[in-house]
Amino acid sequence: MEEFTKWVRDKEDSFAHLLVSDVKLQAFYVITRQHNMSLVKMVCSVYKMLEENYIFIAPINQFLRNKQYKEACQVAAFLKLHDHFSIEDFLIPLVIQDKMNVAEEFLHGSFVHQKQLVLFLDNLLAQRNIGNEVEMLISKYDIPDAKKSKMLYKPLGKLVARLMKIYNLPRDLAPNLNRKRNEGALQFLVYKRYVQHTLGRDSFREMVYEATTANPNLQREVVIQVNLAGDVQEAVFWAREFGIPRAECPTRIQELLDSGPSFPTEEEENWDDNPGINFHTLSLSDSQIVLVDTPVKFREFLFEVSSAEIVGIDSEWKPQFGTMKNGLALVQVATHNRVYILDIILTGSHQDCSWEEAGAKLFGNEKIIKLGFGVSSDLNMMLQCLPNLERTVQNKNGYLDLTSLWKRLTKEFNFKFPYTAQEGGESLTYLVELCLGKCLDKSDQFSNWERRPLRESQIRYAALDAYCLIEVFDVLKENAERQEIPFRDICLELMAKTNNEVKKTHKSRRSRRVDGPPLEVVCPFEGPISVSELKMLCDKGLEGLGQQLRKVGIDTLTLNAVDSPERCIQIAKQDSRIVVVRGRSTYAKISQYVPRGFCYPVATETVHEQLREILQHFNIRVRQEDIFSRCKLCNGASFVKVSQSTMKILKSCVKVTITSPPLDNDDHNDYTGFSSESDGYSDDGLSPPIKSNSQVQKFVENVDINLCRTRKGVPIQVNVLPPECINSISEFNICEVCGRIYWDGSHFERFINGKMKDIICE
């Protein structure tokens, strides 16, 4: 069959008339008796069975009558017959037979079946006796080879959570699982707070809110559990906070509620105290902790940290209950004299924050030693939540895991620490105590890192978690050299090992994206089209591709990290946009709700390859005048030309409050090379005139030189303009939508004469 497939490839038109329905059915009956899905898929493809997939519904139903659930599911999935089968036909039997890998082949192509199966399994979790319910299902559907041990609460709960995660389903589809997990979370919080004494009051309250939102039963349970722990004042706080009826509170709490507001005693006030424990504290002042939450601060951070020789890296994310997915909240980067706290909530998807540049200058820069504790988990979370970072760290070196260094020193060299400490396992706080004499205070570790603004204690905790890595490394190095241990050689060997692990992680992440044969996606246009004839919408994680599409003049929006698939579909339908996604599961979910051909899954990795792939698939004609005709950051297509003299006036009128670092060559190119024939501005959507107590509007060349704003009232971003450009560039282009400044330069020439030369039509 493989040889026949090769032979017939160039002769398909000659034999097309022979592929009648009877021939296809005969071939189907022959191959399905072989029990070889690779062969089945090969023959289905070469015999064009997808074109008449409805004729195979009857044979698949025969599989079901014969209890051949696996075969029925695989063939129905490959022939895209999802609409003709329900979850009862073979998905539920396959779950009971513990063959979820087969069921997922079918689920990947149907958002409807994903939701229905999760709802069914979640309802099963609500039953008092799951075993009896499963027995009834086995009897009802006469399911052979049932794996009853897999149909208990714990494995079923894990299955539901896994399906919710891989298909990115809304968490309200699994209310029963969420409720059960939140109950467990509440017990865990009480244990950490009142038994282990490792959870501060503020963190405890934040996480209790998270676990009990919109659940009156759990809110009552908070009052009961906290009262049983002996913290009656905290129990009263929660009773009042949640508005628990007096009659439903414990007797002691009722009495305190009746007595009105009260103040805690000194003993009750000090639940956070750990008697006799002297914690290690951050030696840096508040001014040496920099919260990076704006594009300007992000650029300053990159400029300053790129010259460091060694940094400590840590990250924080909010603990999640129920079926919510973990999301990165902070990345901390420490040098010897400063700690930068990168606010991922505010900068992670911001178009002005180049994470590719951050990867090149820091995270993928092998000249900078990057310390971590369990660094693989931090890296995995960063790569998962910051896709633009992934390409620049995949093959780089320079990561040193202090966990591995600790093990190597103690096991092979009998390393002697400067301090002794009570055994604490392989934890960072234990290592800090061995090296620095005091342990870490982890009372803010388990807190809501997504809440803004961050508490002062959270900021100092996060800063110390990264800074202590440098302190520990310095102590290990000093003592190893004193003990004549080859410290440098050990570090180099361990960094090379970590690099291999990063490569494997990247390879596995790429392999998960290609989870089957290439998708056959039709082009919705019959002939070549111009860039002005279509609009696009890039899914989250494809911000770099979105900027490339704008560079060639295509109207392109990009989704934010918080946008749901439903929001994506809404925008696509509203503006008739083509949705560009990454991954088969996302494609399967979106494509069924937009017109045929209006969802496209990119298969290539780099942004330039992706741009070429899009232009070729949709047969888009790009002319030279299309290049840089849109703002790559905001998608605006309205620009105003400004002379050198006017730009000097604008620059002199702005008071620069934060000094931006000089832009290097790569940064310079990001702002150069803009070509626009739009001399005027659009009157659509003009803001009302902006007035000030001390200044009035004064327009020169269609910009307000007094307020340094465009005609649309947007501040002109003169702060990021390198001083040398003002004297060397005669004309500038200002985006009227976002105020970004562009000018003609070498970047334009490199774009039209370099890698993208062949995509431009004469």
Side-chain angles (χ1 to χ4, degrees), residues 6 97 145 148 250 270 358 396 419 439 448 543 580 638 646 733:
K6 296 175 185 177
Q97 290 180 336
D145 303 321
K148 299 178 184 178
N270 292 331
K396 298 296 182 181
Y419 296 94
C439 64
N448 186 354
E543 294 88 354
V580 184
S638 176
T646 301
N733 296 275

Side-chain angles (χ1 to χ4, degrees), residues 161-422:
R162 179 174 172 273
L163 293 175
M164 298 281 290
K165 182 177 181 179
I166 62 177
Y167 297 125
N168 197 26
L169 299 175
R171 65 188 303 267
D172 56 7
L173 281 180
N176 297 307
L177 177 63
N178 287 321
R179 176 177 52 81
K180 287 284 187 180
R181 290 199 166 182
N182 283 337
E183 290 173 358
L186 177 58
Q187 295 175 4
F188 175 72
L189 292 172
V190 171
Y191 178 78
K192 286 185 70 68
R193 170 76 172 148
Y194 296 107
V195 179
Q196 291 186 330
H197 299 285
T198 56
L199 190 61
R201 188 189 68 177
D202 291 337
S203 297
F204 175 72
R205 289 184 174 180
E206 287 174 358
M207 300 316 297
V208 166
Y209 280 121
E210 286 290 317
T212 62
T213 300
N215 191 329
N217 292 331
L218 269 184
Q219 291 173 352
R220 284 192 293 271
E221 190 65 21
V222 171
V223 177
I224 294 171
Q225 293 292 332
V226 172
N227 179 60
L228 288 174
D231 193 353
V232 292
Q233 290 295 336
E234 185 72 5
V236 170
F237 167 81
W238 288 113
R240 290 181 174 139
E241 183 71 14
F242 291 141
I244 307 297
R246 179 184 179 281
E248 297 178 10
C249 294
T251 304
R252 173 61 177 152
I253 307 304
Q254 291 181 20
E255 295 173 355
L256 290 174
L257 287 172
D258 292 339
S259 63
S262 59
F263 298 96
T265 64
E266 183 177 351
E267 180 181 354
E268 292 167 336
E269 222 172 22
N270 292 331
W271 281 101
D272 294 340
D273 292 344
N274 287 277
I277 299 180
N278 190 12
F279 292 113
H280 179 64
T281 57
L282 185 64
S283 58
L284 300 180
S285 65
D286 289 345
S287 62
Q288 293 173 289
I289 303 174
V290 181
L291 186 59
V292 180
D293 54 3
T294 66
V296 172
K297 291 182 179 179
F298 190 86
R299 183 169 293 280
E300 289 178 341
F301 153 72
L302 288 182
F303 174 73
E304 293 177 15
V305 82
S306 59
S307 60
E309 295 182 356
I310 185 169
V311 297
I313 295 179
D314 191 42
S315 60
E316 307 292 346
W317 54 84
K318 183 179 74 173
Q320 301 289 15
F321 306 132
T323 56
M324 290 190 297
K325 294 171 63 176
N326 287 324
L328 191 64
L330 299 177
V331 172
Q332 306 98 272
V333 180
T335 64
H336 274 95
N337 56 11
R338 189 164 293 184
V339 179
Y340 300 91
I341 299 179
L342 310 184
D343 192 332
I344 306 303
I345 304 297
L346 299 178
T347 65
S349 58
H350 199 292
Q351 294 176 330
D352 281 355
C353 296
S354 174
W355 284 96
E356 289 188 50
E357 184 182 355
K361 290 187 174 180
L362 173 61
F363 298 103
N365 186 351
E366 58 187 4
K367 295 180 181 179
I368 300 177
I369 298 176
K370 294 164 284 292
L371 305 175
F373 192 87
V375 70
S376 294
S377 62
D378 289 310
L379 268 178
N380 288 340
M381 179 62 82
M382 289 167 65
L383 296 180
Q384 174 186 328
C385 298
L386 300 168
N388 289 339
L389 191 64
E390 183 173 355
R391 288 187 292 273
T392 52
V393 300
Q394 54 186 310
N395 292 314
K396 298 296 182 181
N397 210 329
Y399 286 89
L400 178 59
D401 194 330
L402 293 186
T403 315
S404 303
L405 179 60
W406 179 10
K407 291 179 181 178
R408 179 68 64 87
L409 290 173
T410 53
K411 289 183 178 180
E412 296 185 16
F413 297 94
N414 195 27
F415 181 83
K416 303 298 182 184
F417 287 96
Y419 296 94
T420 59
Q422 186 176 352

Side-chain angles (χ1 to χ4, degrees), residues 22-40:
D22 286 345
V23 171
K24 294 180 180 180
L25 280 169
Q26 289 181 51
F28 181 84
Y29 286 127
V30 170
I31 58 171
T32 52
R33 287 199 297 268
Q34 309 307 311
H35 303 290
N36 184 328
M37 273 311 296
S38 297
L39 176 62
V40 170

Side-chain angles (χ1 to χ4, degrees), residues 421-433:
Q422 186 176 352
E423 176 64 37
E426 294 178 359
S427 66
L428 178 59
T429 186
Y430 180 42
L431 179 60
V432 168
E433 189 170 5

Side-chain angles (χ1 to χ4, degrees), residues 7 39 145 165 371 448 451 481 544 567 587 625 668:
W7 178 82
L39 176 62
D145 303 321
K165 182 177 181 179
L371 305 175
N448 186 354
R451 184 174 176 268
E481 291 173 349
R567 175 62 177 159
Y587 170 76
E625 54 263 38
H668 187 279

